Amino acid sequence: MKLRIILIVLFILLVSGCSEPLPLDKLDYQGDWQHANVRLVITRDGKFSYRKVIGGTTTTIDAPIKSFIGDNIEVGVGWFTTVFEVSEPPQQVDGLWLMTVDGYRLTKNQGQVDLNKPSPH
């Protein structure tokens, strides 16, 4: 039992301490991005928080950004990684910041980024 608790604590420390700041050419990715079914928060220090709600299914990923592969974002720790496809990188259109991730067109919230703020759904 003690070993399991120690492993859990080590894993949490590993996950929380692995992020690196966003590269200078990717600073536009930073922000609180939303769609009716998706919320994505990317912080300047490289934290990635994703929540998607479709019907009764919720997908949540909270992990550090490992790297950018072109415009795509690889997140995770060690071998536990996933890549989010960015088909349209952040761009400003008519005063709004837009980005398309995994087929969802997201709009950047212009307010403060708060990882604890509940998702719109």
Side-chain angles (χ1 to χ4, degrees), residues 10-115:
L10 287 175
F11 180 75
I12 290 170
L13 290 173
L14 180 67
V15 170
S16 65
C18 286
S19 62
E20 293 188 22
L22 294 177
L24 292 177
D25 65 333
K26 301 296 184 187
L27 289 179
D28 288 343
Y29 285 72
Q30 175 185 341
D32 184 354
W33 300 87
Q34 296 185 12
H35 174 274
N37 301 44
V38 175
R39 179 160 187 241
L40 170 60
V41 177
I42 299 173
T43 63
R44 186 178 185 131
D45 62 354
K47 290 184 177 71
F48 184 96
S49 180
Y50 178 85
R51 178 178 167 97
K52 176 174 73 172
V53 180
I54 303 291
T57 304
T58 300
T59 304
T60 303
I61 297 174
D62 291 301
I65 295 173
K66 287 189 73 167
S67 66
F68 285 87
I69 304 164
D71 293 325
N72 298 335
I73 307 167
E74 180 184 25
V75 301
V77 176
W79 299 282
F80 302 102
T81 64
T82 189
V83 175
F84 287 82
E85 181 185 337
V86 179
S87 54
E88 291 181 307
Q91 58 187 316
Q92 199 167 23
V93 178
D94 296 328
L96 294 175
W97 279 94
L98 304 172
M99 173 170 60
T100 302
V101 179
D102 284 350
Y104 293 96
R105 183 121 183 183
L106 308 174
T107 303
K108 188 184 228 181
N109 181 353
Q110 299 303 316
Q112 292 283 3
V113 174
D114 180 1
L115 289 171

